[in-house]
Amino acid sequence: MKLSGYIRMLSQRDNLVVKWGILILLSLLTALLFPSGESIESDYHTGTIWTDKDLIAPFSFPIYKEEREYEQERDLAAKSVYRVFEEDASVSKNSIDSLGQFFAQLREALAMETSLNLKRDHTRRLHRTFGAEIAADSSAAADAVRDLHIGFTESEWNILMKLYLAEVHPNKLKTPSGRTPFTLQKLRRDVMLVVNQTYLQGIVDVRKSLFGADLDVAFRRKTDEEIVPLSRYLDQEELGRTVQQTFLSGYRHDNDTVSIATKIALSFLSPNIIFQKEQTELEMNAAMDAVPHTIGVVQQNERIIGRHERVTEDIKLKLDSLRKAKAERSADINQFATLLGEFLHIFVVSLLLGVYLFLFRKKIYHDNAKILLIALIVLLEASFAYLTLTIEVDAPVEFLIVVPAGAMLLAIIFDSRVAFYGTVAISFIVAGVRGNDYAMALHSLIAGSMALYTVRDIKHRTQIFRSITFIFIGYVVSIVALSLERYDSLLSIFNQCLFAAANAVFSPVLTYGLLIFFERMFHVTTDLTLLELSDFNHPLLRELSQKAPGTFHHSVNMGTLAEAAAEAIGANAILARVGAYYHDVGKITKPAMFIENQQSAANKYERLSPKISANVIAAHVRDGVEMAREHGIPDAVLDFIPMHHGTTKISFFYDQAVKRRKKNEVINEDDFRYPGPRPQTKETGIVMLADATEAATRAIEEPTIQKIEEKIDTIIKTRFMEGELDDCDLTLRDLTKIKSSFLKILGGIYHARIQYPETQTPELAPASSETALEQPVVERRHRRRIKSIDVS
């Protein structure tokens, strides 16, 4: 089952245990957001005047540094620690040993290659066959080359072969000047020297650009430590370039030999100066821990600040330190007691809101889904308040708590009274989460009240954004009032107003988004939804007007009656009007079966039995429910379809069945009743009365105020005596007001008309004679009243 399904099921169960569960869970979750015992006895800022009585230290406590200053000092202490590097002597030793082994293997591979070439040469010149021997030597030579683990190109291998031959046959390869040529032994010597020199300089295992080339580091070799610049050492980015330059400048090599020497040297060069990250972090942490967190001590009974004294930077540090010390002592003494107190804070505030719902908003109180919705809005606001405590910035972020959004949501979903009491509760809870910051409670209450005022009679969703100006005005008024009392600076007032402006913009946007989510998730029918449904361009109403115009006209008239009656007794007038529009949509399937849509005088029920006729009439309720669900009509409106008839009897066909019954035939009265249920709300009860009244008054011959009043009185008394209004909350006083509102509107519709005398003007004789011919027909059509039983 989806979450929305669980919420729908929750809405249908009026379980007291669930209500207490929601209340306790809300109180517990919100209490966990409280700032661990911290409380602000008075709202203070640097430069403001202390308006409370003299503040005396209740106990000795240290004066803590301002958190930002303390963190800056810790950062400076950490930066002052030298990064630790240690030499790993085994790296250079192993690399140089491996380099010597490499040249030995290289010499062996070159010797094998030379021998193989000689055998091939002898084979060509002497025509002797060394096939098997050459194949074995070739395989061995290839293995020897692979074991070198350095890939040489063919040209590089040829150069190495020349260097080897120059060493083996020095007399054959002397230069024209008679100088001994460069040999493999000399290449070995030069590479060994460069590798050794590079290790002596040192190769670090990190990129110097990450630390800064001019950074001094702590270089450790065994038990010795030396502070040296990091630029002394090479990193991987510099290594290749430096080695190549050394071969070019320090040795008389040609470019090809330099390339080979560089390749060999780099293959045996690895970082031997290792960054000791863990050791560095340990020393940095030790340096940061050594930074003192306090700058003094306030002794017990020492005066911290006197009344009407200005709050300076030093005094503010003492006040902040006292608050922190109280929080620490509270945590040390009894953390559970603190949490219990915070829990009771939220519990009492939420309970008072619940009592209000129980006494004055029973419809909401008996709907657990709506109680859950209110709890979620309260928890959302408390979470925003908690986030403003966790954000460590020197700015009035508390003005980003979107209490106006919660107020608007409550006003749109429920009504302005629920929204106001909800805003009061939310404001006090926000103040508690922020450490009893009741100045913030005042800001939130004023801005929230202004916000709900702007949406109390909302007609379309974009009207939500009209509240931006009112929210900002509410915040500005409260900010200026409190700031003048505390002598805040103009800069402080400006900053608070700036954040309030951001809140004023963000709150309507958040309201717009959350409203759509809550409507779908909690199946809430707001006045906005109802106004959208009241548009005659809605597909279902447009289809009703096209296929059943008489029923549509009847529904529109009913909407006027229902809306006026609902306003008279304080019910939801929009819901009553929209419910009247949709109450008979089931007649779309068989419009001609209902008298208001019949164009001819033929009776479509003549050939049907009374029981079947009654079933046809009652079927429009079932058809209407199905059509409404297909079009996504909310439950609050859909309820009008089965409830506007309740369980009333279809009297016309029941009377016919009684008259036509055969001997010993039993007529079951339940077969001639609508399926119900009876009206469950004031609005559905009003629509039931409006439906019967509107239909009956249309059948009155020569309608007068007295006749209309008698008809209304008869219908209301009949429905009351039948018990159809027992399940809704309509009182006798409400019924009296409903009767008066019906009479006022119907009296206006069927008022008496003045009969104007006929006059003839000679100049207009033809036209007036034509009018005279039409007049009797018009009068006959106007005065013709056919008294019939309305079975709609």
Side-chain angles (χ1 to χ4, degrees), residues 6 40 80 88 120 125 140 145 210 239 260 307 353 394 418 420 426 433 467 472 491 531 605 608 618 666 708 756 762:
Y6 283 110
I40 303 172
S80 66
D88 187 352
R120 288 172 178 165
R125 286 189 297 106
V145 171
L210 297 177
L239 185 60
I260 295 173
R307 189 174 187 182
L353 181 59
D394 187 16
V418 172
F420 177 74
I426 289 173
V433 172
S467 59
F472 182 64
L491 180 60
L531 289 170
Y605 294 97
L608 300 178
V666 178
I708 294 173
Y756 293 98

Side-chain angles (χ1 to χ4, degrees), residues 609-610 656-667:
S609 67
Q656 280 191 346
V658 172
K659 291 178 182 179
R660 298 180 186 179
R661 70 177 176 179
K662 299 176 182 178
K663 188 177 181 181
N664 299 327
E665 181 183 0
V666 178
I667 304 299

Side-chain angles (χ1 to χ4, degrees), residues 44 50 55 304 311 315-323:
Y44 57 87
W50 185 263
L55 181 61
I304 299 175
V311 178
I315 293 176
K316 185 176 183 299
L317 285 179
K318 293 180 180 179
L319 293 172
D320 291 341
S321 300
L322 176 60
R323 182 180 64 179

